[in-house]
Amino acid sequence: MELAPRRHKPAQKRAAAAGGVCIHTMATPRPRDIPLLPGSPRRLSPQAGTREGQGPKHGQQYLQTPGPRAPGLQGSSSRDPGQPCGPESARSSSVINNYLDANEPVSLEARLSRMHFHDNQRKVDYVLAYHYRKRGMHLAQGFPGHSLAIVSNGETGKEPHAGGPGDIELGPLDALEEERKEQREEFEHNLMEAGLELEKDLESKSQGSVFVRIHAPWQVLAREAEFLKIKVPTKKMYEIKAGGSIAKKFSAALQKLSSPLQPRVPEHSNNKMKNLSYPFSREKMYLYNIQEKDTFFDNATRSRIVHEILKRTACSRANNTMGINSLIANNIYEAAYPLHDGEYNSPEDDMNDRKLLYQEWARYGVFYKFQPIDLIRKYFGEKIGLYFAWLGLYTSFLIPSSVIGVIVFLYGCATIEEDIPSREMCDQQNAFIMCPLCDKSCDYWNLSSACGTARASHLFDNPATVFFSIFMALWATMFLENWKRLQMRLGYFWDLTGIEEEEERAQEHSRPEYETKVREKMLKESNKSAVQKLETNTTESGHEDDEDKLTWKDRFPGYLMNFASILFMIALTFSIVFGVIVYRITTAAALSLNKATRSNVRVTVTATAVIINLVVILILDEIYGAVAKWLTKIEVPKTEQTFEERLILKAFLLKFVNAYSPIFYVAFFKGRFVGRPGSYVYVFDGYRMEECAPGGCLMELCIQLSIIMLGKQLIQNNIFEIGVPKLKKLFRKLKDETEAGETDSAHSKHPEQWDLDYSLEPYTGLTPEYMEMIIQFGFVTLFVASFPLAPVFALLNNVIEVRLDAKKFVTELRRPDAVRTKDIGIWFDILSGIGKFSVISNAFVIAITSDFIPRLVYQYSYSHNGTLHGFVNHTLSFFNVSQLKEGTQPENSQFDQEVQFCRFKDYREPPWAPNPYEFSKQYWFVLSARLAFVIIFQNLVMFLSVLVDWMIPDIPTDISDQIKKEKSLLVDFFLKEEHEKLKLMDEPPLRSPGGGDRSRSRAASSAPSGQSQPGSVMSSGSRHTNV
């Protein structure tokens, strides 16, 4: 590109102008000027940044040798206005500054592209943002242009002797700002040494935000792509065969039927044709179909390459801090992010990937369409693409489970009139007189008054729920197996096979907090020589020495704090559950005193207690998320991956206990430790433990599960995921408006893309999205025997959740860095664990919470005619009311007849038996049957799950065949291309009529990148040699 050399002369005339843009480009470096691994901290001398004295004086010539920036330099030296500016000057200097006057109008062509430098040719691949505050503003008021020249360029502009560095007394904040500025200058210089090209705004206001735009020229992209072993498509394409003819016909028919559901996006991975992929190599450029170098690497890959350089570039002024993450943690920079591909709601006809994703994916109006997974992966990277692929598969798997759950519920509705036990309970003729539910204030009552509860319980407590529990256990196994298959299929189409080296390379980058802890350890435990070693550490390896690592002794206080804090949080959760129990007991006793509220005691207490539980769960969810993050930080994990895994485990443990502890209490503990009439268990004086409803605790468990699940989904989706980000965006906008004392009306009307993206929420990871779905997966599987409609509500939620997350990623978040990964990581292990635990929990729900086992025992062991007639009477024991403790009898009993015996639900001997009120034979029979059912159910379902796992291969057969075929085709393609290359080299040169050399032109096309042919144009207005 020839644009930059032409712009040097007009730029020179505007060198001292206030405002505008500072463009840094690299001149022609020699091969020895750029290390093999650019940006490596070990290639830069730590003392280089402090060798220079003050900044160059006014009129000083170009900076001739590359090195860290001297204090006061804004990425350049100042230069004499008479200094020549052109190709010769570009060759003799290492850094060139082009200043654009902000007051001079820019051409419309330049303003049309918001994704490029101001030359409208070099693409912005990454943006660094920081906030500045101009030093000594009390001395420079009224001269913003002059203060700009002093602060940002080391020049004095129109007044050469005004405002030199020695003329301003620096306060503490000014000194800190100056130190950060010097660190930024050194870091940006190191980036330019790595071959990147920078453009940044001049600091033309008293304070504000500055954006450093980064462009990676072709030579840097090619070098880094080879170093990172990025797979790129070759010229060779081959057809993907779909197996046999039946499979082809079925696939074609399925594709035709689902065509209205397909998003209207270009197919980035053709289902029929696929390019052979091979890691990029500059020595094998002839293998790739490079039509245009600017578009060969897509935007996500370009930003990923720049991010890798940013992560490994060091700053010696910041204690040898490694990478951009450390600088952001130390507030040297505020943010670092790649740009979105333009606006998603622009009225123009030009289409970009972001706008396409918004129209075909991130709107609620397209909820019925499939997700454009390939486009998501192309735009956001493989990690986010895998999340949405997993979420899509999970949502689609909820469809059959929802259908079966509705059928089970309808079966309960259809058979409710045929249920003999509920009919017996509702029969007024039976007149089962039940013992009082509380002391003194509660009266005797008829069992028929609980008719509604008994009939409702049958909707969820029927033989079909046992079948549904087995089905859901197998469903969970099939879902995980199909996910493994889909993961392998996506890995094949996305060329994720063999990325273990990338994951190992990611482990090399230490977290800023870890580096800080290591530095503090060395400063505490080492002598002066160790401190000097820390300051002059120039080892060639990116790894630290063994003595420079944190041992388990260093981490022991953190581990101890983690253990104690997690135990405390779990105890806090249990205490809150116990507090809700006390509330239920006391409220029930209080409401029983009033005749008007006595009839609705159970409904009122249950509903209010569940709402309290829901509110507490939502509050503790947010607290536990923050606590888990804090606990993980004090552990000081070395790498980001380790940090993320430990954070996930802690957050999942705390949120699992928080969400499910009240449900576990109702399912397995409520009503088990009540005692019996005459010998009740009391929590406090006069307040005894609460009992289950006459129809059992299953109905209450269903109510608890449904309210917590639905409330959690609705409130978290509508308030936390929609409302909170909008409030944060509004507060940030108001803050920016109040801080922007000097605004540019033209700029505010037409903001640049980096300004628009800076106002968005920063991307913080996928942990909240995964966590929400994992907790929902637990609701769907762990207690599905008590709530068959759970998959239905999960499906309805997820249809909205997919579009909600999509809209958040496309419109509300900054563009994340593209991260390559082959799987969903630790989340799969958590899902698998929940699936196995759900088998046990459902077995106990059916055996203990429901009446399924007692009914079977009665029907086949105690019934006279093999039916359930007499089952209710069989489950009720007798108690002699004369044996009630003094002071517990009902006061002012309104019962119509004199009561001699009352009934209570339990298997105990009658008062006239030799051992009155002891557990009867039926109790032990039912208990043994329950335990036997748990063992049989668990082993049967586990066996079926293992069988399903064995029957479904993890890798689809067609994918394994295609992988083998691809390897064979790649070898043949290599041999063919090498043969053609050797053949061209051996042929004698043939002169064309125009005097050209044909064979040479063919050979030139296969030359490695960076070896420029005579007369070729260098990219992006800067020159580079092959490195």
Side-chain angles (χ1 to χ4, degrees):
M1 298 190 328
E2 301 177 347
L3 178 63
R6 291 200 201 105
R7 296 177 66 87
H8 290 163
K9 289 186 178 179
Q12 176 197 2
K13 296 177 183 178
R14 300 189 295 269
V21 177
C22 173
I23 304 178
H24 307 288
T25 60
M26 289 295 293
T28 310
R30 295 180 297 277
R32 61 183 175 84
D33 291 334
I34 301 178
L36 181 61
L37 300 181
S40 172
R42 310 309 178 190
R43 296 288 184 180
L44 302 173
S45 173
Q47 292 87 3
T50 57
R51 248 184 257 143
E52 305 292 340
Q54 296 295 326
K57 296 179 181 179
H58 180 68
Q60 185 176 340
Q61 301 297 317
Y62 283 114
L63 185 65
Q64 298 293 332
T65 57
R69 193 95 55 241
L73 285 174
Q74 186 78 8
S76 68
S77 65
S78 59
R79 59 183 156 112
D80 193 352
Q83 177 71 22
C85 187
E88 291 299 320
S89 174
R91 293 190 193 98
S92 63
S93 68
S94 66
V95 179
I96 302 172
N97 282 334
N98 295 332
Y99 298 101
L100 300 181
D101 192 346
N103 299 319
E104 184 171 333
V106 186
S107 65
L108 180 61
E109 179 188 1
R111 307 311 305 142
L112 284 177
S113 176
R114 299 180 181 181
M115 301 289 299
H116 292 74
F117 280 9
H118 277 69
D119 60 12
N120 204 25
Q121 295 188 23
R122 285 173 286 182
K123 185 181 293 184
V124 177
D125 297 316
Y126 220 87
V127 175
L128 306 180
Y130 65 88
H131 190 84
Y132 73 92
R133 185 182 64 86
K134 195 162 291 185
R135 69 183 183 185
M137 281 307 300
H138 57 283
L139 297 177
Q141 290 179 357
F143 301 96
H146 300 169
S147 63
L148 162 69
I150 294 170
V151 174
S152 63
N153 300 327
E155 299 177 352
T156 57
K158 297 180 180 178
E159 300 177 10
H161 303 290
D167 298 335
I168 297 177
E169 183 179 355
L170 299 182
L173 291 178
D174 290 328
L176 179 62
E177 182 68 25
E178 190 69 17
E179 182 182 357
R180 289 175 178 172
K181 178 180 176 182
E182 292 173 358
Q183 293 171 1
R184 285 193 295 266
E185 289 171 353
E186 184 198 346
F187 183 72
E188 290 162 15
H189 175 79
N190 292 343
L191 293 180
M192 289 189 290
E193 275 201 340
L196 298 176
E197 298 175 0
L198 309 182
E199 176 188 73
K200 69 187 299 184
D201 301 326
L202 292 180
E203 299 173 359
S204 57
K205 302 175 185 177
S206 60
Q207 65 176 357
S209 297
V210 170
F211 300 97
V212 182
R213 278 87 68 186
I214 302 176
H215 168 75
W218 169 257
Q219 288 81 0
V220 174
L221 293 173
R223 180 189 65 208
E224 295 296 318
E226 182 174 356
F227 169 63
L228 297 172
K229 298 181 180 179
I230 295 176
K231 284 190 175 182
V232 293
T234 63
K235 298 176 183 177
K236 176 68 174 177
M237 294 188 71
Y238 68 96
E239 183 181 2
I240 300 174
K241 296 183 179 179
S245 58
I246 299 176
K248 282 185 179 179
K249 291 179 181 178
F250 179 75
S251 177
L254 190 63
Q255 192 170 0
K256 188 175 181 180
L257 288 173
S258 63
S259 58
L261 306 178
Q262 297 293 339
R264 292 176 295 177
V265 298
E267 294 187 16
H268 295 287
S269 62
N270 197 323
N271 292 328
K272 296 182 179 179
M273 300 297 294
K274 184 179 184 296
N275 281 90
L276 281 176
S277 296
Y278 186 73
F280 188 85
S281 172
R282 289 173 291 176
E283 297 179 355
K284 296 182 174 62
M285 296 286 287
Y286 54 88
L287 296 176
Y288 315 112
N289 188 19
I290 305 177
Q291 297 178 352
E292 190 175 349
K293 291 182 177 180
D294 288 341
T295 58
F296 180 69
F297 295 106
D298 58 28
N299 291 345
T301 305
R302 294 174 69 99
S303 63
R304 176 183 158 216
I305 288 174
V306 175
H307 185 62
E308 286 292 332
I309 298 176
L310 290 172
K311 283 198 299 185
R312 67 169 186 257
T313 302
C315 182
S316 61
R317 288 182 181 272
N319 295 322
N320 277 338
T321 300
M322 171 81 82
I324 186 63
N325 294 333
S326 301
L327 296 177
I328 292 176
N330 294 328
N331 297 317
I332 297 169
Y333 287 98
E334 261 190 81
Y337 53 91
L339 289 182
H340 278 294
D341 288 358
E343 296 185 57
Y344 65 90
N345 55 357
S346 58
E348 294 85 2
D349 294 333
D350 59 321
M351 183 62 69
N352 56 63
D353 285 345
R354 187 188 187 193
K355 193 172 182 180
L356 192 60
L357 282 172
Y358 177 73
Q359 292 180 354
E360 295 295 324
W361 179 53
R363 293 187 302 114
Y364 294 112
V366 293
F367 71 93
Y368 60 92
K369 289 188 176 183
F370 293 118
Q371 298 184 88
I373 293 297
D374 292 320
L375 185 59
I376 297 169
R377 170 253 179 178
K378 177 193 173 190
Y379 192 81
F380 292 111
E382 284 76 6
K383 188 171 185 177
I384 295 176
L386 282 175
Y387 163 71
F388 281 104
W390 174 84
L391 182 57
L393 181 70
Y394 171 50
T395 304
S396 62
F397 256 73
L398 284 172
I399 296 175
S401 60
S402 300
V403 172
I404 302 297
V406 170
I407 292 174
V408 169
F409 179 74
L410 293 177
Y411 170 81
C413 295
T415 58
I416 191 169
E417 298 297 336
E418 302 173 6
D419 184 45
I420 297 174
S422 61
R423 277 164 45 195
E424 288 184 349
M425 287 182 66
C426 296
D427 189 2
Q428 300 284 346
Q429 303 298 325
N430 288 330
F432 295 110
I433 301 172
M434 306 299 293
C435 296
L437 295 174
C438 61
D439 295 343
K440 292 185 180 180
S441 58
C442 295
D443 200 357
Y444 303 105
W445 55 286
N446 275 319
L447 184 61
S448 58
S449 63
C451 174
T453 307
R455 291 171 65 87
S457 297
H458 178 73
L459 299 177
F460 306 100
D461 187 4
N462 56 69
T465 56
V466 180
F467 157 77
F468 190 54
S469 300
I470 298 175
F471 169 79
M472 288 303 295
L474 299 179
W475 172 88
T477 303
M478 291 186 67
F479 164 63
L480 295 177
E481 289 302 311
N482 276 273
W483 168 243
K484 285 193 284 187
R485 290 168 63 83
L486 178 60
Q487 201 168 244
M488 288 301 302
R489 189 175 294 277
L490 292 176
Y492 164 70
F493 282 107
W494 294 353
D495 296 316
L496 297 178
T497 53
I499 66 166
E500 288 79 8
E501 292 185 13
E502 294 183 30
E503 295 177 344
E504 290 177 4
R505 190 162 51 247
Q507 295 284 350
E508 297 175 3
H509 299 291
S510 299
R511 297 178 63 250
E513 293 82 358
Y514 181 84
E515 292 180 353
T516 304
K517 282 292 182 182
V518 171
R519 194 175 297 117
E520 291 176 356
K521 174 187 175 183
M522 295 181 67
L523 288 173
K524 286 180 181 179
E525 299 181 357
S526 304
N527 51 22
K528 292 182 180 180
S529 61
V531 175
Q532 292 174 359
K533 177 184 176 183
L534 174 67
E535 295 174 350
T536 61
N537 184 17
T538 56
T539 55
E540 296 295 326
S541 168
H543 297 284
E544 295 152 344
D545 297 329
D546 291 339
E547 62 268 18
D548 297 345
K549 296 180 180 179
L550 295 181
T551 62
W552 69 270
K553 293 181 180 178
D554 303 316
R555 289 194 172 101
F556 182 74
Y559 290 151
L560 190 62
M561 177 64 74
N562 269 261
F563 182 74
S565 300
I566 290 174
L567 283 182
F568 172 76
M569 293 297 168
I570 293 175
L572 175 65
T573 305
F574 291 161
S575 301
I576 292 174
V577 172
F578 180 73
V580 175
I581 294 171
V582 173
Y583 161 80
R584 294 159 66 110
I585 294 171
T586 54
T587 306
L591 292 177
S592 299
L593 296 174
N594 192 342
K595 294 181 180 179
T597 59
R598 190 175 297 170
S599 58
N600 298 318
V601 168
R602 194 177 295 276
V603 176
T604 305
V605 170
T606 301
T608 55
V610 171
I611 292 172
I612 293 172
N613 273 326
L614 174 62
V615 173
V616 169
I617 286 172
L618 293 174
I619 295 173
L620 289 183
D621 250 3
E622 300 303 312
I623 295 175
Y624 286 169
V627 169
K629 193 170 184 178
W630 174 72
L631 290 176
T632 311
K633 283 182 178 178
I634 64 176
E635 271 191 50
V636 200
K638 182 176 181 180
T639 64
E640 287 294 340
Q641 183 178 349
T642 310
F643 179 87
E644 185 178 10
E645 289 180 352
R646 294 184 182 182
L647 172 62
I648 288 169
L649 285 176
K650 291 183 186 64
F652 173 73
L653 176 62
L654 293 175
K655 293 190 176 187
F656 182 90
V657 173
N658 180 42
Y660 298 122
S661 54
I663 300 173
F664 270 94
Y665 163 72
V666 174
F668 304 124
F669 298 102
K670 184 178 179 181
R672 313 291 169 206
F673 311 102
V674 177
R676 61 171 180 81
S679 181
Y680 283 114
V681 177
Y682 288 88
V683 181
F684 302 110
D685 186 27
Y687 296 101
R688 67 192 196 205
M689 286 294 291
E690 57 181 345
E691 304 178 44
C692 288
C697 281
L698 197 69
M699 188 61 198
E700 189 174 342
L701 175 62
C702 174
I703 296 172
Q704 183 111 355
L705 187 65
S706 59
I707 292 179
I708 291 178
M709 179 181 177
L710 293 175
K712 202 169 184 299
Q713 291 181 162
L714 290 175
I715 294 175
Q716 282 189 335
N717 284 355
N718 293 305
I719 296 180
F720 296 155
E721 290 198 33
I722 297 177
V724 172
K726 288 187 181 297
L727 287 175
K728 286 183 179 179
K729 188 176 180 181
L730 179 63
F731 288 151
R732 188 186 292 108
K733 186 178 180 181
L734 293 174
K735 182 182 177 183
D736 293 341
E737 288 177 355
T738 53
E739 289 184 355
E742 307 163 30
T743 58
D744 186 353
S745 59
H747 183 265
S748 61
K749 289 181 181 178
H750 304 284
E752 300 287 356
Q753 188 62 47
W754 44 85
D755 290 302
L756 296 172
D757 288 3
Y758 181 69
S759 65
L760 300 176
E761 274 289 301
Y763 168 73
T764 56
L766 288 169
T767 300
E769 276 71 28
Y770 271 116
M771 187 67 69
E772 182 184 349
M773 290 295 103
I774 295 296
I775 296 297
Q776 185 203 83
F777 183 79
F779 281 120
V780 169
T781 55
L782 290 175
F783 300 98
V784 74
S786 62
F787 190 40
L789 295 179
V792 179
F793 293 113
L795 175 63
L796 296 176
N797 174 79
N798 286 9
V799 170
I800 301 172
E801 180 73 20
V802 171
R803 307 302 161 180
L804 180 67
D805 285 347
K807 189 175 182 180
K808 182 169 65 174
F809 273 88
V810 173
T811 67
E812 296 176 4
L813 295 181
R814 293 175 192 159
R815 187 172 184 173
D817 294 302
V819 178
R820 282 172 63 83
T821 183
K822 61 181 180 180
D823 52 35
I824 60 175
I826 196 172
W827 295 111
F828 184 85
D829 300 325
I830 294 176
L831 283 168
S832 181
I834 291 177
K836 290 180 172 59
F837 186 62
S838 68
V839 177
I840 302 172
S841 66
N842 280 300
F844 277 98
V845 167
I846 295 170
I848 295 176
T849 312
S850 76
D851 281 338
F852 177 73
I853 298 301
R855 291 185 183 190
L856 282 181
V857 171
Y858 175 79
Q859 185 174 0
Y860 293 104
S861 300
Y862 295 100
S863 177
H864 300 292
N865 52 8
T867 64
L868 289 175
H869 286 287
F871 171 73
V872 175
N873 183 55
H874 179 75
T875 58
L876 298 177
S877 299
F878 287 89
F879 180 76
N880 191 342
V881 297
S882 62
Q883 297 177 356
L884 284 172
K885 288 184 179 180
E886 188 67 29
T888 62
Q889 299 93 342
E891 294 179 346
N892 304 321
S893 176
Q894 303 297 320
F895 215 69
D896 296 338
Q897 56 186 351
E898 184 179 352
V899 178
Q900 184 179 3
F901 295 99
C902 66
R903 311 292 294 271
F904 63 98
K905 191 173 182 180
D906 207 346
Y907 292 101
R908 291 183 180 268
E909 296 289 348
W912 53 84
N915 299 312
Y917 308 125
E918 294 291 330
F919 287 120
S920 62
K921 294 185 300 181
Q922 290 89 338
Y923 171 82
W924 300 108
F925 193 1
V926 170
L927 179 62
S928 59
R930 283 172 165 166
L931 296 178
F933 174 82
V934 169
I935 296 172
I936 295 172
F937 182 89
Q938 177 184 340
N939 285 279
L940 174 64
V941 176
M942 288 291 187
F943 170 75
L944 293 176
S945 300
V946 171
L947 184 64
V948 170
D949 189 0
W950 175 76
M951 291 176 64
I952 302 177
D954 293 346
I955 305 177
T957 306
D958 59 328
I959 295 299
S960 60
D961 293 341
Q962 294 296 339
I963 292 174
K964 294 175 185 176
K965 177 183 176 182
E966 186 171 304
K967 290 180 180 179
S968 175
L969 288 173
L970 193 59
V971 173
D972 295 341
F973 176 62
F974 263 38
L975 294 176
K976 181 180 177 182
E977 290 294 327
E978 289 288 341
H979 180 69
E980 288 187 2
K981 184 180 177 184
L982 292 173
K983 186 178 179 181
L984 286 172
M985 293 175 64
D986 293 339
E987 283 181 359
L990 298 175
R991 290 284 177 182
S992 63
D997 193 336
R998 295 179 184 174
S999 62
R1000 185 180 301 171
S1001 64
R1002 278 290 303 274
S1005 67
S1006 63
S1009 169
Q1011 295 180 350
S1012 305
Q1013 302 305 316
S1016 64
V1017 180
M1018 303 308 294
S1019 72
S1020 304
S1022 60
R1023 298 168 178 258
H1024 295 274
T1025 57
N1026 184 33
V1027 293

